[in-house]
C-alpha cells in the first residue's frame, strides 16, 4: 500500500496499522462434528474436503471429529498442507486412573494440533466450570496443543443485559494462569448459546460488539499487543450465506462451525466465502 500526499499522514498511518493488524490474525475456521460421523463417514467427509479445499491457503482449516475417528482422519490428512486436526475435549490430567477420559498425550499420538475446551454443551451438560477449563487450557499448552476456548451467554442472560458480565466472568476464569505467550497461541470462540443449533444468528453488529469487548478484556488482562494477536472465532449457526459478512468484521477472526461442518459443500463454501 502506497500513501501519497493525497491522504493525510494520520490516515495513512491508521491504514497501515490496520493492514498489519489483520495480516497477523489469519482466519481460522474449525468444524466441530460433535457426536456425529462413524469412522467411514468421517473419512468420506475428509476426502471431499481435501478435494474441495485443496487450493485454499488464506485460512487455517481445522476439523474436529469424535475421538473414535481421530486416528484414521489424522492419516487421511497427513499429506495435506492446509487441513489440521482438532479434538473436541480433553482431560486436565495426564495418564492415570481417570476412567473415560482422554489426555493430551493420547491426542498428540494422532497429530492433533487443536482442542476445543469449554464448549457451551459441556458447560451445560457436564457442568464444567471456568476453573476446570483453565486447568485444561494449561494442560493443553503443556503438551503444545492449541486450545480453542469457548465463551458465550444464554438467551436469558442476553435478555437481562448481562452479556458483558457473563463474558468477563468466563474469559477471566477460563484463561486464569495463562502467560502472554500462551494466550497468543490460544484461540477464543464466542458462541452465543442462543444461536447454537437454533438457526438464529447474532447480527454482524452483535458479533462484532461481543468480539471487541472480549479483545478489550484481553488487553486489560494481558496487554494490547497480546490482545491484537489473539484470534477470536464466532460460533453460532454460521452458514455459507452469512460467512462473508461475519468474517468481514474487524474483530471476527474466523468461525467455529457446528452443523454446517457435517456436509462438505456447506463447510467448504463457508471457508471460501470468508476469504
Amino acid at each position: 500500500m502506497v500513501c501519497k500526499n493525497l491522504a493525510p499522514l494520520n490516515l495513512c498511518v491508521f491504514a497501515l496499522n490496520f493492514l498489519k493488524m489483520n495480516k497477523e490474525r489469519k482466519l481460522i475456521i474449525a468444524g466441530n462434528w460433535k457426536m456425529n460421523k462413524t469412522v467411514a463417514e468421517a473419512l468420506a467427509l475428509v476426502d471431499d474436503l481435501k478435494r474441495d479445499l485443496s487450493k485454499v491457503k488464506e485460512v487455517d482449516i481445522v476439523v474436529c471429529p469424535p475421538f473414535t475417528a481421530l486416528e484414521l482422519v489424522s492419516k487421511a490428512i497427513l499429506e495435506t498442507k492446509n487441513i489440521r486436526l482438532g479434538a473436541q475435549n480433553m482431560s486436565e490430567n495426564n495418564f492415570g486412573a481417570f476412567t473415560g477420559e482422554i489426555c493430551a498425550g493420547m491426542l498428540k499420538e494422532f497429530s492433533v494440533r487443536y482442542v476445543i475446551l469449554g464448549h457451551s454443551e459441556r458447560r451445560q451438560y457436564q457442568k464444567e466450570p471456568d476453573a476446570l477449563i483453565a486447568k485444561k487450557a494449561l494442560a493443553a499448552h503443556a503438551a503444545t496443543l492449541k486450545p480453542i476456548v469457548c465463551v458465550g451467554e444464554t438467551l436469558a442472560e442476553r435478555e437481562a443485559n448481562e452479556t458483558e458480565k457473563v463474558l468477563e466472568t468466563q474469559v477471566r476464569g477460563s484463561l486464569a494462569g495463562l502467560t502472554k505467550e500462551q494466550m497468543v497461541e490460544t484461540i477464543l470462540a464466542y458462541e452465543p448459546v442462543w444461536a447454537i443449533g437454533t438457526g438464529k444468528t447474532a447480527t454482524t453488529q452483535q458479533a462484532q460488539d461481543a468480539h471487541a469487548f472480549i479483545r478489550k478484556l484481553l488487553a486489560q488482562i494481558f496487554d494490547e499487543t497480546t490482545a491484537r494477536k489473539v484470534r477470536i472465532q464466532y460460533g453460532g449457526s454460521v452458514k455459507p450465506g452469512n460467512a462473508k459478512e461475519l468474517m468481514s468484521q474487524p474483530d471476527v477472526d474466523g468461525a467455529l462451525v457446528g452443523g454446517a461442518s457435517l456436509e462438505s459443500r456447506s463447510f467448504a463454501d463457508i471457508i471460501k466465502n470468508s476469504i
Side-chain angles (χ1 to χ4, degrees):
M1 178 178 180
V2 178
C3 291
K4 299 181 180 180
N5 292 332
L6 294 175
L9 179 60
N10 60 342
L11 182 58
C12 286
V13 172
F14 173 82
L16 288 171
N17 286 338
F18 181 81
L19 289 174
K20 180 180 179 182
M21 181 184 72
N22 280 273
K23 184 177 180 180
E24 66 185 4
R25 295 209 307 265
K26 185 179 181 181
L27 284 178
I28 176 168
I29 297 180
N32 177 16
W33 298 0
K34 306 187 180 184
M35 197 172 68
N36 294 290
K37 302 296 182 185
T38 63
V39 173
E41 291 169 342
L43 291 176
L45 175 54
V46 166
D47 284 344
D48 288 343
L49 292 177
K50 287 163 61 177
R51 177 199 65 216
D52 295 341
L53 298 171
S54 62
K55 297 181 180 180
V56 175
K57 300 179 180 179
E58 300 90 340
V59 179
D60 284 340
I61 304 167
V62 183
V63 292
C64 302
F67 290 130
T68 52
L70 284 177
E71 180 178 11
L72 291 184
V73 169
S74 176
K75 292 178 180 178
I77 64 173
L78 185 62
E79 301 300 322
T80 68
K81 296 181 179 179
N82 65 337
I83 302 177
R84 295 292 178 259
L85 189 62
Q88 297 178 23
N89 182 43
M90 58 167 268
S91 173
E92 74 277 20
N93 298 299
N94 292 318
F95 296 89
F98 302 100
T99 301
E101 293 293 324
I102 300 290
C103 70
M106 294 172 177
L107 298 180
K108 293 282 287 184
E109 284 191 303
F110 302 132
S111 301
V112 169
R113 302 280 190 91
Y114 298 85
V115 58
I116 300 171
L117 301 176
H119 191 278
S120 63
E121 289 159 359
R122 293 199 63 84
R123 288 178 182 268
Q124 178 181 357
Y125 302 128
Q126 279 72 41
K127 310 301 180 185
E128 291 192 355
D130 296 327
L132 175 61
I133 296 162
K135 290 179 180 179
K136 291 186 178 188
L138 287 168
H141 281 295
T144 65
L145 295 175
K146 295 185 178 184
I148 299 175
V149 178
C150 303
V151 296
E153 80 283 5
T154 64
L155 180 60
E157 289 165 341
R158 172 166 282 274
E159 291 179 341
N161 295 317
E162 294 180 344
T163 295
E164 292 187 354
K165 177 183 176 181
V166 171
L167 290 179
E168 180 164 8
T169 298
Q170 291 182 347
V171 168
R172 290 186 181 276
S174 301
L175 304 177
L178 294 186
T179 65
K180 294 177 183 179
E181 293 75 18
Q182 289 172 330
M183 189 63 239
V184 171
E185 296 299 318
T186 300
I187 295 92
L188 284 175
Y190 167 63
E191 44 164 24
V193 180
W194 48 272
I196 299 175
T198 63
K200 296 181 180 179
T201 307
T203 66
T204 52
Q205 191 60 55
Q206 286 173 326
Q208 166 57 24
D209 288 347
H211 283 231
F213 177 75
I214 292 170
R215 202 174 303 283
K216 180 181 177 181
L217 277 176
L218 294 177
Q220 295 174 3
I221 299 168
F222 300 96
D223 56 41
E224 290 189 7
T225 300
T226 301
R228 285 199 305 270
K229 293 179 179 179
V230 175
R231 294 185 288 183
I232 308 174
Q233 298 175 308
Y234 171 76
S237 298
V238 180
K239 304 179 184 67
N242 61 27
K244 186 175 185 64
E245 188 175 5
L246 283 167
M247 298 309 118
S248 68
Q249 301 305 303
D251 287 295
V252 178
D253 307 311
L256 181 59
V257 185
S261 71
L262 297 176
E263 197 276 317
S264 60
R265 181 59 60 85
S266 62
F267 189 55
D269 284 348
I270 286 172
I271 293 168
K272 293 175 181 178
N273 291 351
S274 298
I275 301 171

